[in-house]
């Protein structure tokens, strides 16, 4: 049976009680922590950087999935790895030398991911699929939590999964933005392995239960 992972995005957490939210994720059925780094340049918003990630690493009992929404990410890969990133994802649109950047991530010992924006076709990944550990398909335009899922993304996930299957590759597909109970099933059916969930977890009344319910949906979804 294929495993599906849930990665709560701490961007939607209450930063005045980050410790409690980290503990909640530690004690929940979530699989990873999804950490969004924004530079106010690649995306129109600024979030947090390596010092916060280092602090989170000190408490987290699950892998840190670090999503870099920054220009020139190659300048900071080693620092994010040292801060505790287990998976480092860079944006295709921010990397003129994407092949080299993927190798750089792998040399640090982290898993390497590449993210594509909603307007970027999956075909741009054809020549690097073998080198990757994960593809992050953005289902909103990056920069903010709480946006509406773009349904056209489902076709991109299917297309990407087909391209992998043809070449016998089983890289992870992560989907990020506007994911919640209302669409988790169809996202998994399209071929996703990892669901990022920000607002649908942290803005809910009972975040632990929201993670549980998401996990139930992905467990009960049969893949044809
Ligand atoms: C958006 C970030 C997402 C965001 C998801 O740019 O990459 O990870 O935190 O938040 P929701 O689930 O609220 O769309
Ligand atoms: Zn993200």
């Amino acid at each position: 049976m294929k495993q599906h992972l849930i990665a709560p995005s701490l961007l939607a957490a209450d930063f005045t009680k980050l410790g409690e939210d980290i503990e909640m994720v530690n004690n929940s059925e979530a699989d990873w922590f999804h950490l969004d780094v924004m530079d106010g340049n690649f995306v129109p918003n600024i979030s947090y950087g390596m010092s916060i990630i280092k602090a989170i690493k000190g408490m987290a009992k699950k892998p840190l999935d670090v999503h870099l929404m920054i220009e020139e990410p190659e300048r900071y890969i080693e620092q994010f790895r040292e801060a505790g990133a287990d998976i480092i994802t860079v944006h295709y649109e921010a990397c003129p030398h994407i092949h080299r950047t993927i190798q750089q991530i792998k040399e640090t010992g982290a898993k390497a991911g590449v993210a594509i924006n909603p307007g970027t076709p999956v075909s741009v990944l054809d020549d690097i699929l073998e080198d990757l550990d994960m593809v992050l398909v953005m289902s909103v335009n990056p920069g903010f939590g709480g946006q509406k899922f773009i349904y056209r993304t489902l076709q991109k996930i299917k297309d990407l999964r087909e391209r992998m299957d043809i070449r016998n590759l089983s890289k992870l597909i992560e989907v990020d933005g506007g994911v919640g109970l209302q669409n988790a099933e169809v996202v998994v059916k399209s071929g996703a392995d990892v669901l990022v969930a920000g607002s649908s977890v942290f803005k809910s009344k009972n975040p632990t239960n929201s993670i549980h319910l998401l996990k139930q949906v992905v467990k009960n979804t049969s893949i044809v």
Side-chain angles (χ1 to χ4, degrees):
M1 241 317 242
K2 206 174 164 186
Q3 267 263 47
H4 293 94
L5 311 179
I6 304 295
S9 165
L10 285 185
L11 192 66
D14 179 348
F15 288 177
T16 63
K17 55 178 190 72
L18 198 50
E20 286 172 37
D21 286 339
I22 295 168
E23 268 310 301
M24 182 282 291
V25 175
N26 278 341
N27 296 323
S28 76
E29 292 170 57
D31 299 278
W32 295 349
F33 286 84
H34 182 84
L35 305 179
D36 291 300
V37 178
M38 303 178 180
D39 67 352
N41 199 8
F42 179 67
V43 288
N45 194 9
I46 299 178
S47 57
Y48 49 77
M50 37 292 239
S51 57
I52 300 286
I53 291 180
K54 198 171 176 189
I56 294 170
K57 186 71 176 180
M59 281 188 76
K61 298 199 180 109
K62 296 176 180 181
L64 302 191
D65 171 33
V66 175
H67 177 192
L68 298 181
M69 285 162 275
I70 64 175
E71 297 282 3
E72 300 186 84
E74 63 281 354
R75 290 172 60 196
Y76 304 103
I77 303 290
E78 287 76 17
Q79 289 179 57
F80 280 109
R81 175 63 176 163
E82 276 159 29
D86 295 285
I87 304 139
I88 298 178
T89 296
V90 293
H91 266 263
Y92 173 82
E93 301 85 359
C95 298
H97 302 291
I98 189 74
H99 185 274
R100 184 188 293 157
T101 307
I102 293 165
Q103 306 311 323
Q104 189 188 347
I105 296 172
K106 287 179 157 180
E107 274 162 26
T108 68
K111 299 271 185 220
V114 171
I116 51 170
N117 283 336
T120 303
V122 295
S123 57
V124 300
L125 302 173
D126 276 353
D127 293 304
I128 48 169
L129 273 185
E130 263 88 359
D131 301 286
L132 292 172
D133 296 298
M134 182 171 87
V135 176
L136 191 170
V137 178
M138 287 301 305
S139 41
V140 298
N141 286 293
F144 302 93
Q147 301 181 78
K148 223 171 145 308
F149 186 88
I150 299 169
Y151 274 85
R152 162 73 202 164
T153 308
L154 296 175
Q155 193 50 49
K156 291 176 71 178
I157 303 168
K158 280 184 200 152
D159 185 4
L160 182 60
R161 182 56 74 199
E162 269 172 35
R163 282 167 193 263
M164 288 184 184
D165 287 348
I166 289 168
R167 288 154 69 179
N168 223 355
L169 297 172
S170 55
K171 312 293 182 171
L172 294 176
I173 299 179
E174 179 173 51
V175 179
D176 184 8
V179 175
L181 279 175
Q182 74 286 2
N183 54 22
E185 181 175 351
V186 72
V187 172
V188 166
K189 277 193 167 150
S190 302
D193 304 286
V194 188
L195 306 192
V196 175
S199 312
S200 66
V201 167
F202 289 99
K203 306 292 185 210
S204 71
K205 283 213 178 87
N206 185 338
T208 305
N209 194 45
S210 299
I211 294 168
H212 168 73
L213 294 174
L214 277 171
K215 200 75 192 179
Q216 286 298 113
V217 172
V218 299
K219 266 188 200 159
N220 294 333
T221 303
S222 58
I223 320 287
V224 263

Short mmCIF file of all heavy atoms in Angstrom, two decimals, residues 9 34-36 67 69 136 138 176 196, ligand 2:
data_model
loop_
_atom_site.label_atom_id
_atom_site.label_comp_id
_atom_site.label_asym_id
_atom_site.label_seq_id
_atom_site.Cartn_x
_atom_site.Cartn_y
_atom_site.Cartn_z
N SER A 9 1.88 23.05 7.61
CA SER A 9 2.72 24.23 7.37
C SER A 9 2.61 25.17 8.56
O SER A 9 1.54 25.72 8.84
CB SER A 9 2.27 24.95 6.11
OG SER A 9 2.85 26.24 6.10
N HIS A 34 6.25 21.29 7.56
CA HIS A 34 6.51 22.04 6.34
C HIS A 34 6.84 23.48 6.72
O HIS A 34 6.04 24.15 7.38
CB HIS A 34 5.28 21.99 5.42
CG HIS A 34 5.49 22.69 4.11
ND1 HIS A 34 6.09 22.10 3.03
CD2 HIS A 34 5.18 23.95 3.70
CE1 HIS A 34 6.15 22.94 2.02
NE2 HIS A 34 5.60 24.08 2.40
N LEU A 35 8.02 23.94 6.33
CA LEU A 35 8.49 25.27 6.75
C LEU A 35 8.72 26.17 5.54
O LEU A 35 9.52 25.85 4.66
CB LEU A 35 9.79 25.13 7.56
CG LEU A 35 9.68 24.18 8.78
CD1 LEU A 35 11.01 24.06 9.49
CD2 LEU A 35 8.60 24.66 9.75
N ASP A 36 7.99 27.28 5.50
CA ASP A 36 7.98 28.17 4.34
C ASP A 36 8.90 29.37 4.56
O ASP A 36 8.64 30.20 5.44
CB ASP A 36 6.55 28.68 4.12
CG ASP A 36 5.63 27.57 3.63
OD1 ASP A 36 5.92 26.99 2.57
OD2 ASP A 36 4.65 27.26 4.34
N HIS A 67 10.73 24.66 2.43
CA HIS A 67 10.30 25.15 1.12
C HIS A 67 10.85 26.56 0.94
O HIS A 67 10.37 27.51 1.57
CB HIS A 67 8.75 25.13 1.11
CG HIS A 67 8.14 25.66 -0.13
ND1 HIS A 67 6.79 25.95 -0.22
CD2 HIS A 67 8.66 25.98 -1.34
CE1 HIS A 67 6.51 26.39 -1.44
NE2 HIS A 67 7.63 26.43 -2.13
N MET A 69 11.16 29.80 -0.85
CA MET A 69 10.58 30.70 -1.86
C MET A 69 11.46 31.94 -1.90
O MET A 69 11.06 33.03 -1.46
CB MET A 69 9.14 31.03 -1.47
CG MET A 69 8.20 29.88 -1.74
SD MET A 69 6.65 30.02 -0.84
CE MET A 69 7.14 29.29 0.71
N LEU A 136 7.51 19.49 -5.83
CA LEU A 136 6.44 20.20 -5.11
C LEU A 136 5.61 20.94 -6.15
O LEU A 136 6.12 21.85 -6.82
CB LEU A 136 7.04 21.17 -4.08
CG LEU A 136 6.11 21.82 -3.07
CD1 LEU A 136 6.92 22.55 -2.01
CD2 LEU A 136 5.12 22.76 -3.67
N MET A 138 2.88 23.51 -6.75
CA MET A 138 2.14 24.57 -6.06
C MET A 138 0.71 24.62 -6.58
O MET A 138 0.49 24.69 -7.79
CB MET A 138 2.79 25.95 -6.30
CG MET A 138 4.10 26.21 -5.59
SD MET A 138 4.06 26.09 -3.79
CE MET A 138 2.76 27.21 -3.32
N ASP A 176 0.97 21.74 -2.47
CA ASP A 176 1.03 22.79 -1.46
C ASP A 176 0.15 23.98 -1.84
O ASP A 176 0.38 24.60 -2.88
CB ASP A 176 2.50 23.23 -1.34
CG ASP A 176 2.74 24.26 -0.25
OD1 ASP A 176 1.81 24.54 0.52
OD2 ASP A 176 3.87 24.78 -0.18
N VAL A 196 0.54 19.22 1.89
CA VAL A 196 0.85 20.29 2.83
C VAL A 196 -0.48 20.90 3.27
O VAL A 196 -1.37 21.11 2.44
CB VAL A 196 1.72 21.38 2.16
CG1 VAL A 196 1.95 22.57 3.09
CG2 VAL A 196 3.06 20.78 1.72
ZN1 LIG B 2 5.04 25.76 1.22
#
